[in-house]
Amino acid sequence: MIGNTSSITEEDESYNNDEYNYDRVQFVVDQRPNISLSKNQNEPIPPITSTSTTDSNSWSILNVIKNFLSISPYLLAKAEEQLYQNLKRQYYGEYIHIRGGNLIWTVKSLNPSKTTIPIVLMHDFGCASGIWILNIDFLSARHPLYMFDILGFGRSSRPNFDQTNSINAETKFVETIEDWRIAVGLQTKFYLVGHGFGAYLATVYALKYGEFIKKLILLDPWGFNQKPDENQLHLSIPFWINMLARLMQKLTSFSAFRYLGPLGLPLLKIFAPRWKRLSPAEQSAKKSNALYKYLYYVNTQPASGDLGFQAIASWYGWAKDPIVQSDHTRIESISDDIPLVFIYGSRTNIDNTAAHQILLQRGSTNTSIKTIHSAAHFFFMERPIQFHEVMSDLLSDLPQNVPTLASADSTITTAILSHRFRTIETLKRLSWKNSGPEQLARAEMKIFETLKSQFQGRYIPVLNNTQKIWSICANLTSTNIPVVLIHGFGGGVGLWSLNLDQLCLDRPVYAFDLPGFAHSSRPVFSRDPIEAESQFVEMIEEWRINMGLNGPFIILGHSFGGFLTAAYAIRYPKYIVQIVLVDPWGFGHKPDNWQTSPMQRIPPWLRSFSSVMMKFSPLAGLRVAGPFGVHIMKYLRQDLRVKFQKLFDDDRVLEYLYHCNAQVPTGEEGFRTISDLLAWSKNPMIDRIHLIDERIPIHFLHGEQSWIEIDSSWIAQGKRDNVFIDTMKDAGHHVYADAPDEFDIFLKKTLMNKE
């Protein structure tokens, strides 16, 4: 071991580093299926089958080559020791004998309490047990903890896998886990926690050996969703991943690291910079290097586990036999007595649709889905405090009165992490992106606290509960026809604040943040303009259903919201009794001479830069500005501050709009896909306006000073009998804010009532 640290202690007292040949290539062929599963801890580790052997201290040519290529197990062992330094608890490492002469490297901490339930951790593809470095002190404080390197990964044996047979490969992994459980002496139920590929293996293990599982906890699980249709892959798969997937059909995932020798480690640092952020904070440079070295040596060992993974995975990385399939879910074989918990990072690239399908199938009594906010795939390293907080709730054997991490109780908070996260919390106040959901919620509340009416706010789930739409409503007891408000591009429900009090006096009022904007979830939109428009429309319809709006209603949309209002009315006219389009965007065709008359009222910045901005998210500059974003809003849109002076004489509307648009810009991307140079639609609504049910009256309201042209409204009136057009003098594009009193009068005389 290194120094006097309390890292990994070999449990076998007779173990001698010099007796074990670290440099032997761990390449074992499973030819002895009937070998005894029992182990004797006083028995020396048997030699591992290899085509050739060398002494670890010799300077043979083979040894020099293996050290140059960084494939020596000795280097991996030393890297793991460095990673485990300075942990507060003592951990024991041993090789567990299983069938086929294979060895499974296992690290454990046996809590003295005999009443607590053990925890077993299973790592992801391309990782090993050391990936739990930030969590094991916390998890082992009250539970016996076991973590092992999956067969073919880390320090475990590296047998052959048949890449042509996915069933055999999956069975081999599963039976290895069961052999390990028997050999390690786990005879009681335990919590099984798997991450990524480890979560997939944990699930298929539970399908066969579920009687030993107390609770199945799946962290960002891989292999649950079916592979998308080939012609849809280009909508969500970047080009470089496409090329990489083709390359991986010929090579193993880590071939480059094995062949580049000393160049492999700096290459890993270049292509995986996130690991520097995930490393323990104490002596951050040294610790990040320890993590890089460990993961590098983990993946430079002979190809084995990655070959098994390739046998199970299809092109692009989906499972050949996914857990959730079109006609059934394999999860049906897991007993309802086993609670199932999915935990995802909010910024992960793993699709959680399958998890929501399983939740609907099993019900919420024994299945749940949780999210770690502001974290990606390795959220247990990115946000360990939040992860531990969730785990505290899941480990049901904890006493109900035990404080959780939220209370900052020192008996639960891992001591090694406390300094790090005090530092991070301090640095958060200095972060460049000075925005988030919490800041947006506070900014919105500051606007609504100026209103006299009482509004209720809640999230409405859509897309099988995978997304949520922030909604507000008021005066639901009124018998008059409700009105639904849809804001424009870059806005949110807060922009209706000048009109809500008057509007809800005599009727129910509903307003929501469009998906991809403001408070609502940020779904990914198609790159096809027709499909992207359809996604918006379908989510609006799901919102109506889940909101329980099953009677006649009026729908009012502004700008981009007006475009979506018309698109929605074409597809779902059943309950709509009236449409009001306030300066609607996307109706007319882009003229050939769009940079000159009659489009001179388009803002100069839009005329000059729209072709450039089409290559980026329209409001990308606002996010790049970081903490200066609000100041930029004050400089560029001081007119908005003036518009809302009737309610408040300060910058709260600018702060609100900044936080609305400083979030992940998926709604902007959807709008950019639908738009042509931002000012027009690729599929103008004027060509489809006649498809709206003839019984539904359509009212257009334009601002005389708006850059939106009124011509398309006159064309629409010529195509239908019940189209009405009004203009508001001295009002621009934001009619409802430019002349709020006149806008309220217009609504009172225009909106239909029950009688």
Side-chain angles (χ1 to χ4, degrees):
M1 309 306 292
I2 298 177
N4 296 318
T5 64
S6 59
S7 52
I8 302 178
T9 304
E10 296 291 348
E11 193 172 79
D12 184 359
E13 294 180 357
S14 64
Y15 180 85
N16 187 326
N17 281 349
D18 294 332
E19 291 178 5
Y20 180 67
N21 193 342
Y22 281 103
D23 282 356
R24 296 188 179 190
V25 180
Q26 298 185 22
F27 195 82
V28 182
V29 181
D30 190 353
Q31 295 176 336
R32 297 177 289 172
N34 297 320
I35 193 169
S36 172
L37 291 174
S38 63
K39 67 181 179 67
N40 182 348
Q41 294 187 8
N42 294 319
E43 169 188 331
I45 301 297
I48 301 177
T49 304
S50 175
T51 56
S52 63
T53 62
T54 62
D55 186 271
S56 61
N57 295 319
S58 68
W59 285 95
S60 66
I61 294 177
L62 180 59
N63 190 48
V64 171
I65 291 175
K66 284 192 291 184
N67 278 281
F68 175 80
L69 293 177
S70 305
I71 64 174
S72 169
Y74 174 78
L75 298 175
L76 172 56
K78 289 300 182 183
E80 187 176 44
E81 285 183 4
Q82 292 178 353
L83 193 65
Y84 278 76
Q85 289 187 58
N86 300 321
L87 290 177
K88 301 305 180 183
R89 301 184 60 79
Q90 197 170 43
Y91 299 90
Y92 300 91
E94 62 174 331
Y95 284 94
I96 301 298
H97 302 235
I98 63 171
R99 285 179 290 178
N102 292 319
L103 302 176
I104 300 297
W105 176 247
T106 304
V107 177
K108 59 185 178 180
S109 174
L110 301 182
N111 189 283
S113 173
K114 296 182 179 180
T115 60
T116 53
I117 300 171
I119 300 174
V120 175
L121 302 176
M122 293 181 60
H123 61 80
D124 194 5
F125 171 77
C127 299
S129 300
I131 204 70
W132 306 104
I133 186 66
L134 297 187
N135 317 112
I136 55 179
D137 268 347
F138 171 80
L139 295 174
S140 64
R142 287 181 171 83
H143 296 264
L145 180 67
Y146 297 82
M147 49 189 182
F148 62 91
D149 293 350
I150 296 171
L151 185 69
F153 294 94
R155 295 177 66 178
S156 291
S157 296
R158 304 236 166 191
N160 283 323
F161 280 89
D162 182 3
Q163 288 184 269
T164 64
N165 194 317
S166 62
I167 296 177
N168 285 354
E170 183 179 291
T171 301
K172 192 168 189 174
F173 279 122
V174 170
E175 293 304 319
T176 296
I177 299 170
E178 175 62 4
D179 289 354
W180 172 86
R181 183 198 64 79
I182 296 173
V184 86
L186 263 177
Q187 301 301 326
T188 61
K189 287 192 173 185
F190 55 88
Y191 295 113
L192 184 56
V193 182
H195 173 238
F197 179 52
Y200 176 85
L201 294 181
T203 303
V204 294
Y205 173 79
L207 296 176
K208 189 171 184 180
Y209 298 106
E211 65 268 25
F212 300 108
I213 298 176
K214 174 72 173 179
K215 184 177 289 185
L216 185 59
I217 303 173
L218 306 175
L219 316 181
D220 238 30
W222 172 92
F224 272 62
N225 296 285
Q226 279 192 299
K227 179 183 175 182
D229 186 78
E230 291 287 349
N231 59 13
Q232 292 295 320
L233 287 177
H234 71 282
L235 298 179
S236 57
I237 302 300
F239 174 78
W240 68 271
I241 293 183
N242 188 328
M243 297 303 297
L244 185 62
R246 294 178 183 274
L247 181 63
M248 287 302 101
Q249 291 179 310
K250 305 297 182 182
L251 303 172
T252 63
S253 302
F254 303 106
S255 294
F257 293 115
R258 297 189 184 100
Y259 302 140
L260 290 177
L263 297 178
L265 183 57
L267 186 68
L268 179 63
K269 293 181 178 181
I270 292 173
F271 285 98
R274 67 179 183 274
W275 295 112
K276 186 173 183 179
R277 301 193 299 271
L278 304 184
S279 62
E282 294 182 0
Q283 301 172 318
S284 57
K286 181 179 178 181
K287 290 295 184 180
S288 63
N289 285 331
L291 183 59
Y292 274 118
K293 284 183 179 179
Y294 173 71
L295 291 171
Y296 170 63
Y297 291 129
V298 160
N299 292 302
T300 55
Q301 307 306 306
S304 174
D306 44 349
L307 295 177
F309 173 80
Q310 286 185 209
I312 295 172
S314 66
W315 196 42
Y316 282 110
W318 285 274
K320 293 177 181 176
D321 190 15
I323 302 299
V324 175
Q325 303 183 16
S326 58
D327 55 347
H328 73 285
T329 65
R330 299 173 67 188
I331 214 81
E332 294 167 354
S333 301
I334 296 181
S335 170
D336 289 339
D337 295 332
I338 301 176
L340 187 58
V341 182
F342 294 90
I343 308 178
Y344 291 91
S346 62
R347 295 186 287 107
T348 182
N349 59 351
I350 299 289
D351 185 2
N352 62 9
T353 303
H356 286 276
Q357 289 180 249
I358 293 171
L359 175 63
L360 291 174
Q361 172 190 332
R362 299 183 97 223
S364 58
T365 55
N366 62 355
T367 307
S368 61
I369 301 175
K370 299 182 181 297
T371 302
I372 306 296
H373 293 288
S374 301
H377 186 54
F378 290 90
F379 53 78
F380 52 90
M381 298 188 75
E382 293 180 78
R383 296 288 184 269
I385 295 295
Q386 293 90 327
F387 173 66
H388 297 163
E389 176 72 16
V390 172
M391 290 298 292
S392 295
D393 296 334
L394 298 180
L395 304 180
S396 59
D397 61 314
L398 284 176
Q400 294 298 315
N401 59 350
V402 173
T404 64
L405 283 166
S407 67
D409 183 85
S410 61
T411 63
I412 295 181
T413 303
T414 309
I416 190 173
L417 302 176
S418 59
H419 173 72
R420 176 188 186 195
F421 287 97
R422 281 198 301 269
T423 303
I424 288 179
E425 289 304 316
T426 301
L427 291 176
K428 278 183 178 179
R429 292 190 287 270
L430 303 175
S431 64
W432 184 253
K433 182 187 173 184
N434 188 27
S435 183
E438 297 83 3
Q439 290 92 327
L440 173 56
R442 286 195 293 268
E444 183 182 86
M445 184 60 67
K446 288 174 65 177
I447 288 179
F448 276 89
E449 68 185 13
T450 63
L451 302 184
K452 300 175 182 178
S453 306
Q454 293 295 317
F455 283 84
Q456 302 171 351
R458 63 186 174 115
Y459 286 106
I460 303 300
V462 295
L463 298 182
N464 291 323
N465 293 317
T466 61
Q467 308 294 329
K468 53 188 181 180
I469 293 180
W470 175 247
S471 310
I472 63 168
C473 54
N475 195 15
L476 300 187
T477 59
S478 172
T479 59
N480 270 333
I481 301 175
V483 61
V484 176
L485 308 177
I486 303 181
H487 65 80
F489 172 77
V493 295
L495 289 185
W496 300 110
S497 55
L498 286 166
N499 321 108
L500 289 173
D501 275 338
Q502 288 297 320
L503 196 54
C504 71
L505 284 177
D506 62 349
R507 72 181 65 248
V509 174
Y510 298 85
F512 62 86
D513 291 339
L514 283 169
F517 291 95
H519 255 318
S520 292
S521 294
R522 306 280 163 155
V524 177
F525 289 91
S526 169
R527 296 178 183 176
D528 178 78
I530 296 177
E531 178 62 25
E533 178 186 311
S534 178
Q535 286 177 273
F536 277 112
V537 169
E538 293 303 321
M539 281 187 274
I540 293 173
E541 172 63 4
E542 283 197 51
W543 171 87
R544 180 199 65 78
I545 294 171
N546 294 329
M547 177 59 83
L549 194 55
N550 298 316
F553 64 89
I554 301 164
I555 187 167
L556 183 155
H558 168 249
S559 191
F560 181 50
F563 176 85
L564 294 178
T565 292
Y568 174 79
I570 291 173
R571 188 170 300 184
Y572 297 105
K574 180 178 180 180
Y575 296 109
I576 300 176
V577 296
Q578 187 178 17
I579 296 173
V580 180
L581 303 176
V582 181
D583 222 40
W585 170 93
F587 272 65
H589 293 90
K590 183 179 74 172
D592 295 335
N593 59 340
W594 67 273
Q595 289 184 321
T596 59
S597 179
M599 304 300 292
Q600 291 179 350
R601 284 185 291 181
I602 293 179
W605 62 270
L606 186 59
R607 291 202 308 270
S608 302
F609 297 107
S610 58
S611 58
V612 176
M613 292 172 61
M614 283 299 292
K615 302 181 183 298
F616 306 96
S617 294
L619 299 175
L622 195 64
R623 287 180 289 277
V624 171
F628 300 103
V630 175
H631 299 287
I632 292 176
M633 289 289 296
K634 293 178 183 179
Y635 178 76
L636 294 178
R637 297 309 309 267
Q638 188 64 23
D639 61 305
L640 287 175
R641 186 185 191 279
V642 175
K643 297 178 195 297
F644 285 83
Q645 281 183 341
K646 180 180 178 181
L647 284 180
F648 34 76
D649 190 14
D650 54 32
D651 296 324
R652 66 185 71 188
V653 69
L654 300 179
E655 293 175 0
Y656 169 71
L657 286 172
Y658 166 72
H659 291 301
C660 279
N661 295 293
Q663 317 304 315
V664 181
T666 64
E668 292 176 38
E669 290 294 333
F671 172 78
R672 187 161 66 100
T673 297
I674 293 171
S675 71
D676 184 358
L677 293 178
L678 304 182
W680 299 272
S681 169
K682 291 176 182 175
N683 295 290
M685 190 56 63
I686 192 60
D687 296 335
R688 298 175 278 160
I689 194 73
H690 63 281
L691 298 177
I692 297 178
D693 194 321
E694 290 285 349
R695 67 175 176 80
I696 303 174
I698 302 175
H699 296 261
F700 287 92
L701 175 64
H702 290 270
E704 284 191 352
Q705 306 303 317
S706 173
W707 60 274
I708 296 285
E709 284 294 312
I710 196 174
D711 295 355
S712 56
S713 300
W714 293 115
I715 295 174
Q717 191 178 53
K719 293 182 176 182
R720 296 170 56 105
D721 292 333
N722 54 353
V723 174
F724 308 93
I725 302 173
D726 285 275
T727 59
M728 199 160 291
K729 189 177 180 181
D730 298 328
H733 182 53
H734 295 276
V735 182
Y736 56 90
D738 290 332
D741 295 334
E742 292 83 350
F743 183 72
D744 292 338
I745 294 172
F746 166 80
L747 294 182
K748 283 186 178 296
K749 73 176 184 180
T750 301
L751 299 187
M752 298 169 60
N753 290 323
K754 186 175 181 180
E755 60 271 10

